Amino acid sequence: MACAIVCGESSPSHITLFRCLNRTLDSIKDNIAIIFANILGCQADTDENFRSEDLVPSSFEELLEKWGEDNHLIDQDWFSRKKNAGNDQDPQAEFNVLDTMLKDSLERLKTMRESISVAKIGFLGCTLKANYSEHMDIIRGLCVDGKLGSAFWLRRKMMKKGIIPDVSTHNYLLNGLCKAGDLEKANLLIREMLEMGPAPNCVTYNTFIKGYCLLDKVDKALYLFSTMGNSGIRPNSITCNILVHALCKKGLAENARKLLEEILDDDDDDEKTDSGIITLTTLMDGYLKNGNMVQALSLWVDIQRNTQVDVIAYNVLIRGFCLSRQMNLAYGYFCEMTKRGLHPDVFTCNTLISGLCKERKFEEACYIHGIMPRMGITPDKVSYKIIIQGLCIQGDVVKAHEFLLSMLEKSMVPEPLIWNCIIDCYGRYGDLSNAVSVKDQMFAFGVQPNVYTYNALIHAQVKGGNIIDALSLEKDMLLSGLFPDVVTYNMLIGGACNSGHLEFATELYHKMLKIGLDPDIYTYTELIRGNCKRGNIKEAENVLAKIQASGLPIDDVPFQILFKKYCKMREPDKASGIYEKWLARRNELPSLRT
């Protein structure tokens, strides 16, 4: 024992005292080692030069050395005196000295422990702060990726530990719920924010209002807007833009104007200037869509007077004039736009091309398309799509095909709709070779034909009287993994009836029923026409009875076909019976009266 060695010979009572003291100090030493190992051990990976064993004494003698020079000298002097004193020892003096030494050592240990605790708290505080930021970033990332379940799970874990995510993170969660259309959970989330924190801000309300507007629940959005003031939150320009856009979309432009005035009256002049161009442009667009040109032009004057007009505002105005078929005014504002130094963009040109095509002014539309590169504007797929569709409607399939080839030269592969328009246009004019050639070209550029592509080819074959080739196209559809629709079978049945192949038409009709397609009025009309042409009048009347029993909306054509057939057969009684049925049907459906 260390104390016994230092003190030399002692009485049994002294030895017992020293043993107790030694065990006490050994216990203190072990506790120090445990404290340093648990607390400082977590930092060992970050600082290789910092080790707990450098601070914790490895022996009792080392602990005595670390007490300080003063205590060490007192200890040596006292023990040396006692060693030379022989048997005249004072037990009370020994106890007092040892008691002093123990108190001093405990005070030093207390100081060391407090310093270690402060270090530990600082370290853990930094760790918690880092973990908090990391968890916030994870929740926001999950919301952006649409993984709301995982985001809310992490939020619950944090809140169980007493950590509440900030309002920005809650806004991410709310935005994810609104995009998913789950406004009930969004409402519950805001209630939790009001009860437990963090307090909602203007972004929170804007997100929730936009969620209601996306679901066309403008009334609830307006009610939520009215509650913002009760929560001490002031609406901003974004709030105004969301509500004005939603009201204009529902055709309530006048209500949007009143709301705009209410919000902007409470704003300062700087905010009015910053937000005015967006809000007023949205409101002007609403007036133009409703055909209210007077109010729209009045707003346009306000925009020019109070704000800096941009390209978007001109685009909205030009689009409004194109919708109202006032192309001269659209051209006029297009020229004014360029004179003011505002460069038109691709949307401006596409709007003009679309308006000109609707007016069937295809030469002017092609001119606008041609000068776009000279204005520094590259035509996009929408530009080509508008003009190709317009030319196909006009019947100028050759010019439309030239625009298609121009797209391909610029490495712009169009969508199947463009190919189908040209194929159908070739088919309508009986040019089967070019129709098939465009389909092959479509394959070559990696665009897979769809049902509409085959329907356009079948229509071309049927129009050319090639019913066998048309039926082979139906088989090609099935081999390509495409399933014919009702339109496909109606064209095939009509083509078979017109070519006198009534057995093919009947077979196709039963095939429709077998694969689960419901025949419509056009299907039955073609069967009536085919049977009348073959002379199967009784079968034609049975088909008419099927139409009436099915509850399908029926027009005048089936009755007209049977009526004319009986007239040609010079059977006035039967013709009169069909005419009476025809009149009875028209009386049942007043909308069919002429």
Side-chain angles (χ1 to χ4, degrees):
M1 292 186 4
C3 287
I5 295 171
V6 175
C7 297
E9 296 292 336
S10 300
S11 62
S13 61
H14 295 166
I15 293 173
T16 302
L17 176 61
F18 291 146
R19 285 178 178 174
C20 292
L21 177 60
N22 195 26
R23 282 196 298 269
T24 303
L25 294 176
D26 286 341
S27 176
I28 294 172
K29 180 189 74 172
D30 293 339
N31 290 334
I32 294 172
I34 292 172
I35 292 170
F36 274 83
N38 290 336
I39 297 174
L40 299 177
C42 60
Q43 298 179 351
D45 294 335
T46 58
D47 189 358
E48 296 180 356
N49 297 324
F50 187 73
R51 296 289 185 269
S52 61
E53 52 265 26
D54 295 336
L55 297 177
V56 181
S58 59
S59 64
F60 184 75
E61 290 82 3
E62 186 175 350
L63 179 63
L64 292 177
E65 292 176 0
K66 291 183 181 294
W67 282 351
E69 290 296 326
D70 295 339
N71 286 341
H72 184 63
L73 292 174
I74 293 171
D75 176 53
Q76 285 183 339
D77 292 342
W78 185 81
F79 279 114
S80 61
R81 288 196 301 269
K82 293 305 295 178
K83 187 175 182 180
N84 297 327
N87 294 326
D88 297 332
Q89 299 168 346
D90 186 0
Q92 185 62 37
E94 292 177 359
F95 181 80
N96 291 338
V97 172
L98 290 173
D99 185 56
T100 302
M101 293 170 57
L102 183 58
K103 287 182 179 180
D104 186 65
S105 65
L106 292 175
E107 287 294 330
R108 290 179 176 273
L109 289 174
K110 180 181 178 182
T111 303
M112 293 172 61
R113 192 163 189 168
E114 288 176 352
S115 62
I116 292 171
S117 299
V118 171
K120 177 183 178 182
I121 292 170
F123 175 75
L124 291 177
C126 294
T127 304
L128 289 174
K129 185 176 181 180
N131 290 339
Y132 179 82
S133 301
E134 182 180 353
H135 289 162
M136 296 303 98
D137 293 337
I138 292 174
I139 291 176
R140 294 170 187 176
L142 290 171
C143 292
V144 172
D145 295 337
K147 300 176 181 178
L148 296 178
S150 301
F152 275 97
W153 177 85
L154 183 56
R155 173 181 174 267
R156 287 194 299 270
K157 287 290 184 182
M158 294 181 65
M159 296 185 71
K160 285 182 180 179
K161 296 181 180 180
I163 304 173
I164 299 178
D166 58 14
V167 65
S168 177
T169 305
H170 277 83
N171 290 341
Y172 271 87
L173 292 166
L174 185 67
N175 185 52
L177 291 173
C178 291
K179 284 185 176 180
D182 196 347
L183 295 185
E184 291 185 4
K185 288 186 178 179
N187 191 23
L188 290 175
L189 180 62
I190 290 185
R191 288 183 180 180
E192 290 182 7
M193 293 175 68
L194 292 171
E195 292 175 1
M196 299 182 294
N201 57 13
C202 190
V203 177
T204 310
Y205 278 93
N206 287 346
T207 304
F208 202 16
I209 289 172
K210 186 177 180 181
Y212 276 126
C213 293
L214 288 175
L215 294 182
D216 202 24
K217 297 181 179 180
V218 183
D219 53 342
K220 292 187 177 182
L222 290 172
Y223 172 76
L224 188 63
F225 163 74
S226 65
T227 63
M228 291 180 68
N230 298 333
S231 302
I233 298 173
R234 182 181 178 184
N236 58 14
S237 59
I238 297 176
T239 318
C240 180
N241 292 337
I242 294 170
L243 291 172
V244 168
H245 181 267
L247 289 169
C248 291
K249 189 177 179 181
K250 291 181 70 69
L252 303 173
E254 192 61 28
N255 298 72
R257 183 187 63 80
K258 294 178 181 178
L259 178 68
L260 174 63
E261 292 176 354
E262 176 185 342
I263 295 177
L264 293 184
D265 284 343
D266 297 333
D267 293 340
D268 53 25
D269 293 336
D270 293 337
E271 192 168 351
K272 286 182 182 179
T273 302
D274 293 338
S275 63
I277 184 63
I278 299 174
T279 312
L280 292 176
T281 301
T282 304
L283 185 57
M284 183 177 68
D285 184 54
Y287 280 127
L288 290 170
K289 287 180 179 178
N290 293 338
N292 196 339
M293 301 300 298
V294 176
Q295 289 287 351
L297 291 175
S298 175
L299 267 178
W300 174 250
V301 173
D302 291 339
I303 293 174
Q304 289 182 310
R305 184 187 302 119
N306 300 320
T307 59
Q308 183 68 34
V309 181
D310 58 3
V311 175
I312 297 175
Y314 270 103
N315 287 345
V316 169
L317 189 63
I318 292 171
R319 180 172 176 268
F321 286 124
C322 289
L323 288 175
S324 60
R325 304 293 181 89
Q326 302 183 48
M327 295 307 301
N328 292 333
L329 290 175
Y331 262 127
Y333 280 99
F334 175 78
C335 296
E336 179 185 314
M337 178 181 180
T338 55
K339 288 179 181 178
R340 296 185 64 168
L342 295 173
H343 296 286
D345 56 13
V346 67
F347 183 84
T348 316
C349 296
N350 289 347
T351 302
L352 284 174
I353 292 172
S354 178
L356 291 168
C357 288
K358 288 178 181 178
E359 291 292 305
R360 297 189 177 277
K361 298 179 179 180
F362 295 102
E363 290 185 5
E364 296 181 27
C366 292
Y367 172 76
I368 295 293
H369 190 279
I371 66 172
M372 286 176 68
R374 282 184 275 170
M375 293 189 294
I377 305 169
T378 303
D380 58 3
K381 288 186 177 181
V382 177
S383 311
Y384 282 101
K385 177 182 177 180
I386 294 170
I387 202 162
I388 289 174
Q389 283 183 306
L391 290 170
C392 287
I393 293 172
Q394 179 69 12
D396 194 353
V397 65
V398 176
K399 190 73 173 177
H401 198 180
E402 290 177 0
F403 277 100
L404 173 64
L405 296 176
S406 177
M407 289 185 71
L408 298 175
E409 288 176 359
K410 296 176 181 177
S411 300
M412 297 172 61
V413 180
E415 58 188 14
L417 175 63
I418 304 301
W419 300 90
N420 295 341
C421 285
I422 296 175
I423 291 171
D424 180 66
C425 196
Y426 273 125
R428 281 190 281 118
Y429 289 95
D431 194 346
L432 296 178
S433 60
N434 274 322
V436 175
S437 175
V438 173
K439 191 260 292 185
D440 295 337
Q441 195 175 29
M442 186 178 180
F443 265 119
F445 279 89
V447 181
Q448 293 298 320
N450 54 25
V451 175
Y452 304 101
T453 312
Y454 281 99
N455 285 348
L457 290 169
I458 289 172
H459 180 258
Q461 296 289 356
V462 169
K463 193 175 181 64
N466 304 320
I467 186 61
I468 304 301
D469 293 337
L471 290 171
S472 66
L473 283 172
E474 185 240 352
K475 295 180 180 178
D476 291 342
M477 289 180 68
L478 295 172
L479 292 174
S480 301
L482 299 173
F483 294 97
D485 57 8
V486 176
V487 177
T488 311
Y489 283 106
N490 285 347
M491 289 189 297
L492 291 172
I493 291 172
C497 291
N498 289 333
S499 60
H501 295 89
L502 188 59
E503 60 280 359
F504 282 163
T506 305
E507 182 181 344
L508 288 167
Y509 168 73
H510 290 295
K511 191 174 183 179
M512 285 181 68
L513 297 176
K514 186 177 180 179
I515 63 177
L517 290 175
D518 296 324
D520 56 14
I521 184 62
Y522 302 102
T523 314
Y524 290 115
T525 302
E526 292 299 331
L527 288 173
I528 291 173
R529 181 181 285 111
N531 281 290
C532 287
K533 191 173 185 180
R534 180 69 68 88
N536 300 331
I537 307 299
K538 187 175 181 180
E539 184 62 28
E541 288 200 28
N542 290 336
V543 174
L544 179 61
K546 286 182 181 179
I547 299 176
Q548 293 176 314
S550 65
L552 288 171
I554 185 171
D555 54 13
D556 296 342
V557 178
F559 295 100
Q560 290 175 353
I561 295 171
L562 283 168
F563 180 77
K564 290 179 180 179
K565 183 63 178 178
Y566 278 124
C567 289
K568 287 182 180 180
M569 293 174 64
R570 297 182 180 180
E571 295 186 12
D573 294 338
K574 292 184 178 181
S576 177
I578 293 296
Y579 184 70
E580 290 177 359
K581 290 181 181 180
W582 185 3
L583 289 178
R585 185 66 178 175
R586 290 170 66 86
N587 290 331
E588 291 176 3
L589 300 173
S591 60
L592 292 178
R593 297 174 185 172
T594 57

